[in-house]
Amino acid sequence: MIPKVIIDPLVNILYASFYIEGFYQIYGKRNVKFSSKPFKKLSLESRMAALDFVVIDANGKNKKYIISFYDSYKIIKELYEWCDVYGSVNANFTLTTQAGGDTTKLVPLAPSFGVRIWSSFITTAYYALTNLIKGKISTKESFNYRNLLGRYKRMYRMRLPYHNYVESKKVKTSKKYVFHLSTLWYNDEWNKNDEGVNKTRANFTRACKEIKDIDFEGGMVSQGATRSSEKLFSDCIYPHTVSMEEWMDKTKKSSVVFNTPAFWNCHGWKLGEYLALGKAIISTPLYNDLPAPLIHRKNIHIVEDNQQTMKETLILMVNDDKYREKLEENASEYWQQYGTPVKSLELLGIK
């Protein structure tokens, strides 16, 4: 019997696409199927919150897996009880143990990001519609069909194939050019982003603008005056969004990149993307666990959330070619060892 993978058709395809790329590389596309049968007993909320899948080995034995891309370290109890292995991109053993949670099934994964997994819009639309039908007949709970279909559309139009991150021809960085573009998140009583991620990203943007001998491009893209605090960060606002292709080209050219944990101190997509691109990363401290630690001055440069400290770090990084190249090489090595779609699945015991 040929091993195969069964994936829940109700999965959030934007987040699951990264791992489906890994399934295709390991098992081949014809052995990766979408079916609701193994997942019908799970609640709709749980099914759409993580990647739930089953691997059937050569002997016909089933093993159930979860990959959680939840922003919080908290474990989704229903999924944890259902699966044999629970992977998480925001695992935190200390906080989970302190809260009385079980960690015997928990596996920390490197941060991932959305990728385009089907080359044509027709193929993407086919999977969107067939998975909608499969999902609809497998649950009595109502769900937003437009959201499910919209994720397929966004994956195709707004994300790039994984090979764009690891292509052999490396774009030469421009020593004095720094590009950073991020979202100005909404701020409310639950997500105090103006005191957290918004302030941190503004500190970095302002530090870049203070250094006269670097060519800085970027800032923060507002979600609109009704959703974000434009007045607090008016000097950091970037006037428009850019395409993923433009973001990729400018990020590859940038001498350094900047990362900071986002919602609930999660590992954001950008950290995974920067590692995959082999960039010299400046980052504020990370909170959650990884398959192996990212080490300050080896494969990342950790900096406190302070504008002056960021400025000093930037000056160091753009002027020290050897140090910057060391960070680039080690970031790429880390990704190849722990972060690729295939390596992420191998961490779960899938080979």
Side-chain angles (χ1 to χ4, degrees):
M1 179 177 177
I2 299 173
K4 61 182 178 180
V5 180
I6 309 297
I7 303 170
D8 190 344
L10 287 176
V11 71
N12 186 331
I13 199 69
L14 267 175
Y15 288 80
S17 58
F18 181 88
Y19 304 100
I20 295 173
E21 172 72 22
F23 294 147
Y24 285 166
Q25 291 185 36
I26 294 174
Y27 296 100
K29 288 186 178 182
R30 65 177 56 189
N31 298 312
V32 180
K33 309 292 184 183
F34 290 89
S35 172
S36 294
K37 189 175 293 186
F39 316 106
K40 288 183 177 181
K41 293 184 179 180
L42 296 173
S43 68
L44 180 64
E45 182 180 6
S46 292
R47 290 175 66 182
M48 301 182 85
L51 170 55
D52 44 335
F53 63 99
V54 173
V55 174
I56 305 173
D57 67 18
N59 298 314
K61 185 178 179 181
N62 293 7
K63 195 167 186 178
K64 296 178 287 186
Y65 295 85
I66 292 294
I67 296 179
S68 171
F69 15 76
Y70 192 32
D71 288 336
S72 170
Y73 73 90
K74 294 180 180 178
I75 289 172
I76 302 171
K77 185 178 179 181
E78 180 185 15
L79 297 179
Y80 194 81
E81 291 175 348
W82 173 83
C83 74
D84 298 303
V85 181
Y86 190 101
S88 174
V89 298
N90 283 300
N92 193 307
F93 285 87
T94 299
L95 293 179
T96 301
T97 302
Q98 287 176 352
D102 176 41
T103 60
T104 54
K105 300 179 185 178
L106 183 60
V107 177
L109 300 175
S112 59
F113 45 88
V115 296
R116 186 191 303 161
I117 47 177
W118 298 300
S119 58
S120 74
F121 184 76
I122 292 175
T123 303
T124 305
Y126 166 80
Y127 279 104
L129 292 172
T130 55
N131 284 341
L132 173 62
I133 294 168
K134 291 175 183 178
K136 182 179 179 181
I137 64 177
S138 71
T139 179
K140 295 180 180 180
E141 299 178 64
S142 61
F143 61 90
N144 191 318
Y145 304 151
R146 287 188 175 183
N147 281 351
L148 186 146
L149 295 173
R151 288 167 182 155
Y152 284 82
K153 182 179 179 180
R154 291 196 297 277
M155 181 197 69
Y156 180 77
R157 291 190 172 178
M158 299 175 67
R159 305 306 301 170
L160 295 175
Y162 179 69
H163 67 76
N164 284 54
Y165 291 87
V166 293
E167 58 192 4
S168 58
K169 185 179 179 181
K170 187 175 180 180
V171 175
K172 187 176 181 180
T173 60
S174 178
K175 181 175 179 178
K176 297 295 184 179
Y177 177 70
V178 176
F179 174 74
H180 173 76
L181 194 63
S182 55
T183 300
L184 177 63
W185 285 110
Y186 63 84
N187 182 72
D188 58 30
E189 60 183 301
W190 297 283
N191 293 299
K192 300 183 184 299
N193 289 316
D194 285 349
E195 302 170 18
V197 63
N198 288 343
K199 178 178 70 69
T200 305
R201 289 171 173 173
N203 280 341
F204 182 77
T205 299
R206 289 163 179 158
C208 289
K209 289 185 174 183
E210 282 188 356
I211 305 172
K212 294 181 179 180
D213 63 342
I214 70 168
D215 176 17
F216 173 68
E217 182 179 3
M220 303 163 76
V221 177
S222 173
Q223 295 183 312
T226 59
R227 295 200 67 203
S228 54
S229 308
E230 287 184 342
K231 291 182 180 179
L232 288 175
F233 306 101
S234 59
D235 60 319
C236 299
I237 300 297
Y238 193 73
H240 57 84
T241 58
V242 301
S243 68
M244 190 61 195
E245 288 84 357
E246 184 179 351
W247 178 88
M248 178 77 79
D249 289 342
K250 291 182 176 181
T251 299
K252 288 179 177 179
K253 181 183 173 185
S254 184
S255 60
V256 298
V257 293
F258 178 70
N259 171 74
T260 189
F263 277 90
W264 302 322
N265 295 321
C266 74
H267 298 309
W269 279 11
K270 288 293 183 287
L271 180 56
E273 290 178 301
Y274 294 152
L275 290 168
L277 290 168
K279 300 301 297 181
I281 305 167
I282 300 173
S283 177
T284 55
L286 306 176
Y287 289 86
N288 292 324
D289 294 318
L290 291 164
L294 285 165
I295 301 171
H296 176 52
R297 297 189 70 88
K298 179 182 178 182
N299 40 35
I300 197 168
H301 188 105
I302 301 296
V303 64
E304 293 303 317
D305 185 5
N306 176 280
Q307 187 174 330
Q308 181 59 33
T309 305
M310 290 178 180
K311 181 179 177 180
E312 293 169 359
T313 301
L314 278 161
I315 293 170
L316 164 69
M317 297 276 281
V318 298
N319 288 295
D320 192 333
D321 294 346
K322 288 185 178 180
Y323 179 49
R324 191 174 63 252
E325 289 168 3
K326 170 188 171 183
L327 291 178
E328 290 173 347
E329 291 172 4
N330 289 335
S332 182
E333 183 178 315
Y334 181 97
W335 183 254
Q336 293 304 317
Q337 187 170 358
Y338 300 108
T340 70
V342 169
K343 287 296 181 181
S344 294
L345 296 175
E346 288 181 354
L347 288 170
L348 301 176
I350 300 169
K351 298 180 180 180

